[in-house]
Amino acid sequence: VTFLTFDEPESSFALHEAATQAGTIIGGLTAKSLLQISPSTSPNFIGKLLAGVASSIWPATKKPCYPFPSALTATGGPIDELLGNILGVAVGACVNYAQAAVNVIEFYLDDARTDERKAIVELVTTSGPQNDALLRGYVCEAMRLKPQFPGLWREAAVDVSIPQGSGLPPVDVKAGDRIWASFRNAHLNVSRL
């Protein structure tokens, strides 16, 4: 939590307490779901017995999240490791989705996209059979043109010649070269859309 308040130490304690409380609640609810899906993950006999009875009365297979925790519990790992995996993925996913949402909103708030913004507002304020599909299309377009990650560095493992097409010369890459894979430039060729 320190990175959130590193320039505001007076807020650090309150944020740390709130994060700890939220983490405890989310962890407890996640553990409950894991025990409902797989009572054998309980660390003690009484817990296994109670979770087994509860899951036979209220089967967890009807939960929309069932496939993911079911696959995790099938690994046979202890519940604390399963919880760590689930919460680790959840935190990473939340940050990723939040950044994507910010980029999409910022993309359509740009004055150059006034017409698109008006169309989005119209789609949100009315109902129609294709509205959701059109809104998803607007989100996908913004994520294509303003992705949440600009790119990543990679080191070439082998020598390779990469064809560029359209009469351009190939790019020769040698083993050990650092390469920037630009996500921002990856999907800009309109002839391929």
Side-chain angles (χ1 to χ4, degrees), residues 107-108 110-123 138:
F107 182 79
Y108 288 114
D110 189 322
D111 289 338
R113 293 179 192 82
T114 304
D115 294 340
E116 290 89 348
R117 187 170 54 245
K118 287 178 184 175
I120 291 168
V121 169
E122 179 68 26
L123 288 169
Y138 277 111

Side-chain angles (χ1 to χ4, degrees), residues 155-161 172-177 179:
E155 188 172 307
V158 296
D159 293 350
V160 67
S161 183
D172 293 321
V173 179
K174 304 290 181 204
D177 286 353
I179 302 166

Side-chain angles (χ1 to χ4, degrees), residues 47-161:
K48 287 179 187 175
L49 182 66
L50 292 174
V53 169
S55 68
S56 65
I57 296 170
W58 300 288
T61 55
K62 296 184 187 214
K63 290 185 172 193
C65 69
Y66 178 79
F68 176 63
S70 177
L72 275 178
T73 57
T75 65
I79 194 164
D80 59 337
E81 287 180 14
L82 299 176
L83 283 172
N85 287 333
I86 291 171
L87 296 177
V89 167
V91 169
C94 288
V95 171
N96 190 30
Y97 286 127
Q99 184 64 52
V102 166
N103 285 1
V104 168
I105 292 166
E106 184 181 51
F107 182 79
Y108 288 114
L109 286 178
D110 189 322
D111 289 338
R113 293 179 192 82
T114 304
D115 294 340
E116 290 89 348
R117 187 170 54 245
K118 287 178 184 175
I120 291 168
V121 169
E122 179 68 26
L123 288 169
V124 171
T125 56
T126 61
S127 61
Q130 73 274 20
N131 286 21
D132 287 347
L134 287 170
L135 286 170
R136 274 192 296 279
Y138 277 111
V139 169
C140 288
E141 184 68 358
M143 290 177 69
R144 178 180 75 86
L145 296 171
K146 190 174 175 72
Q148 58 267 50
F149 301 106
L152 60 111
W153 288 101
R154 288 292 184 249
E155 188 172 307
V158 296
D159 293 350
V160 67
S161 183

